[in-house]
Amino acid sequence: VVVDGRCVARDFSCFVPSAGSPGWLAYARARGTVTYPAPPAAADGTPLEVVELTPDGPGAATRVTPHDGKIELNLKAGVPVRVSPPH
């Protein structure tokens, strides 16, 4: 699925702007690595924080650095994550 020229969903995964907080949300139906265009503010390689979103609140956090204008995320099946500038 492409919105405004930007891929936001493919192969049962998605990477979309967050409506309720700064950053982006990513999700995949199956465990694995997904690659999407980096958020505009990080397309230059600015590191981003990736936080698992659980029923009990924010979970484990990691960092990812975009390369060549793309972000590569290792996602667990059915576990959404928030991708945003580090706090």
Side-chain angles (χ1 to χ4, degrees):
V1 175
V2 176
V3 177
D4 295 330
R6 179 183 191 81
C7 179
V8 296
R10 74 168 164 264
D11 299 328
F12 303 103
S13 69
C14 64
F15 186 59
V16 297
S18 173
S21 63
W24 292 66
L25 298 175
Y27 177 86
R29 187 173 75 173
R31 180 177 181 253
T33 301
V34 298
T35 303
Y36 280 98
D44 62 354
T46 300
L48 296 166
E49 183 176 63
V50 180
V51 178
E52 290 183 359
L53 302 176
T54 72
D56 298 321
T62 60
R63 294 234 176 154
V64 64
T65 301
H67 294 286
D68 298 325
K70 296 182 179 174
I71 185 170
E72 189 172 274
L73 301 168
N74 295 311
L75 299 176
K76 295 178 182 175
V79 179
V81 298
R82 181 181 60 238
V83 179
S84 60
H87 296 109

